Structures are given as structure tokens and as C-alpha cells.
Amino acid sequence: MAQKINPLGFRVGTTQNHHSLWFEQPKNYSQGLQEDKRIRNCIQNYVQKNIKFPSGIEGISRIEIQKGTDLIEVIIVIGFLKLEKRQSKKIEELQKEVIKELETNGIEELYMIVQKEMNPISLSYRKLNIKIRRIRNPYKEPIILAKFIAEQLKNRVAFPKAMKKAIELAKGATKGIKVQISGRLGGKDKARVAWIRAGRVPLQTVRAKINYSSYTFQTIYGVLGIKIWVF
């Protein structure tokens, strides 16, 4: 049997970089992970509620987090969004929401104690800086394609048509793409797996720049899963 592995973890250090960059003592490592998860969840929830995308698809590709001793820098990699003057106010609101989320969950208390021991005068929280980076070709990102397919299936579009449309959108910006959907496709009683591929997708080549995403969503028939590999 073939040995399955996540294409992103398989290529870390060659063509893939970590989405979180920080150092922590072993005893505080779990708290750092929880902090990352809260930051990402808070940003995702805020964007879903307050920002409208022209395409109707949530265009967040990934959220990168870099932590220093006195600064947390969050980079939101996003598509379908024009950076206008109005967006600066929303970024400020988003920063306040994230800081509020960290304060209410008590994550900052530990760092306040450490700061007090190191410098009794400074008791301020770490600074939070949020930046937005826009993608030129949003449909090159597998998570955005997966959300596009999910929206199509929720609107009762046939799954083969939705898969072919996603491949057409990504074809100009990629060398190859593979789309796989699993679950009760078309409302059938028996769950199955359907996939389609265009171009080359060399999963065994470590130096090949493969981007991958898995996405689950709820339909009236049950949960469907989408996996997309982009070369």
C-alpha cells in the first residue's frame, strides 16, 4: 500500500515554510499553540461577520504568525479584497478584537509576570501588528478553490460541473491540479469518492512546489470533504 503523508509537512524546509515562527520554553509550548489557534479563530470569525468579498467567497488563504519578545506580527494572506482607506479602520477593529480575545483567555497574564521580573517599570502587554498581503492569483490557492466548490455544491450545482469549473479557474496559474470530493455526492445513500486531475501533480518529488488543502462543510445530505493539490 502507498504511504500517505501531508504534502505540506513533507516539504517543510525545501519548498514550504512554517506558518508560525516563534520560540518558547518546553513548559510554555502548549500555551503558545493555544494562543496561535485563538488568534486564527478570532480573525476568521471577524472576517466572516464584518468583511464582504466581491466574489462571495471568503478569500483568506492562510494566517502567518511571527512572535518576538515584545511584538506579535500577524500577516493575513488574502484574495478578492481591494485595500482601500476604509479597510484601515477595520484592521484597527480587528486588532482590538484579537487583543480582547487574548486578554479574556488569560494568555497575557503569563507574559506580564515574565515582564515584571525582567523590568518592573514596564507592565504593558505585547504589541500586536496586523498586516494584509494580497494574492495576485487567488484561484491558485487550494483553500480558496475548495471554498468555491463548497459554495457551488451548497447551491445544488452538480459536483462534476463544480470540479471542472474550479480546474478551469486555476488552469492558467498552475502546472497541474487534482481535486477530490468525498461523501454522499449528489445525495446518494452510499458515500463515495470522486476525483479529477488536469496537468501534472508529482507528489513524490520533494522539490516540486505542491500546495495542498483539505476542507469540510455541511450539506443537507451530510458532511462532504474536499481535498485539492496544486502544482
Side-chain angles (χ1 to χ4, degrees):
M1 298 292 290
Q3 303 299 310
K4 305 295 189 298
I5 188 168
N6 189 301
L8 301 181
F10 187 47
R11 290 170 174 80
V12 166
T14 53
T15 60
Q16 289 291 334
N17 294 321
H18 292 282
H19 292 170
S20 292
L21 294 173
W22 45 270
F23 174 81
E24 196 62 84
Q25 294 295 331
K27 62 181 180 181
N28 300 329
Y29 181 72
S30 61
Q31 291 178 341
L33 282 179
Q34 290 173 19
E35 186 180 58
D36 281 9
K37 190 174 181 181
R38 289 194 182 100
I39 290 170
R40 288 191 169 98
N41 289 344
C42 183
I43 291 171
Q44 293 275 4
N45 294 335
Y46 179 86
V47 169
Q48 284 178 0
K49 292 177 183 176
N50 299 289
I51 297 179
K52 292 182 180 179
F53 293 92
S55 63
I57 306 164
E58 183 195 322
I60 293 180
S61 172
R62 62 186 179 275
I63 298 169
E64 298 176 358
I65 299 173
Q66 299 176 8
K67 297 179 189 175
T69 53
D70 57 350
L71 177 68
I72 300 176
E73 189 172 64
V74 179
I75 301 169
I76 304 172
V77 183
I78 201 166
F80 308 122
L81 185 64
K82 293 180 180 178
L83 300 179
E84 300 170 353
K85 293 181 179 178
R86 293 179 298 175
Q87 299 300 331
S88 60
K89 292 182 180 179
K90 291 186 177 179
I91 291 172
E92 289 176 7
E93 289 176 9
L94 178 57
Q95 284 182 333
K96 290 176 183 177
E97 286 290 325
V98 174
I99 291 169
K100 187 179 177 182
E101 175 69 20
L102 294 178
E103 288 176 4
T104 52
N105 286 283
I107 293 292
E108 292 293 338
E109 292 179 6
L110 174 67
Y111 295 97
M112 280 191 68
I113 293 166
V114 172
Q115 283 183 351
K116 190 174 180 181
E117 291 174 354
M118 293 174 65
N119 185 3
I121 299 169
S122 175
L123 292 175
S124 60
Y125 293 151
R126 290 177 298 170
K127 293 179 181 177
L128 177 70
N129 187 19
I130 295 179
K131 295 180 180 178
I132 290 180
R133 188 191 301 160
R134 196 180 176 204
I135 310 166
R136 288 186 178 180
N137 298 316
Y139 289 115
K140 193 170 70 172
E141 299 295 321
I143 185 64
I144 293 176
L145 283 173
K147 289 175 182 177
F148 169 79
I149 294 171
E151 284 295 321
Q152 294 288 305
L153 295 177
K154 285 178 184 176
N155 295 331
R156 305 292 186 88
V157 175
F159 71 90
K161 188 176 179 181
M163 292 165 74
K164 288 176 182 175
K165 181 65 177 175
I167 285 177
E168 285 176 15
L169 290 171
K171 216 168 186 180
T174 60
K175 293 181 179 178
I177 180 171
K178 179 182 175 182
V179 179
Q180 179 178 300
I181 304 178
S182 58
R184 291 183 58 190
L185 302 177
K188 299 293 177 66
D189 292 336
K190 191 175 181 181
R192 61 196 180 100
V193 178
W195 63 273
I196 186 171
R197 183 177 61 201
R200 293 175 58 237
V201 186
L203 295 179
Q204 294 185 357
T205 307
V206 180
R207 287 179 296 176
K209 291 185 179 180
I210 302 286
N211 206 347
Y212 166 79
S213 178
S214 60
Y215 185 72
T216 58
F217 64 100
Q218 184 74 39
T219 66
I220 59 172
Y221 305 115
V223 176
L224 295 184
I226 302 172
K227 290 182 179 180
I228 297 182
W229 296 260
V230 173
F231 176 37

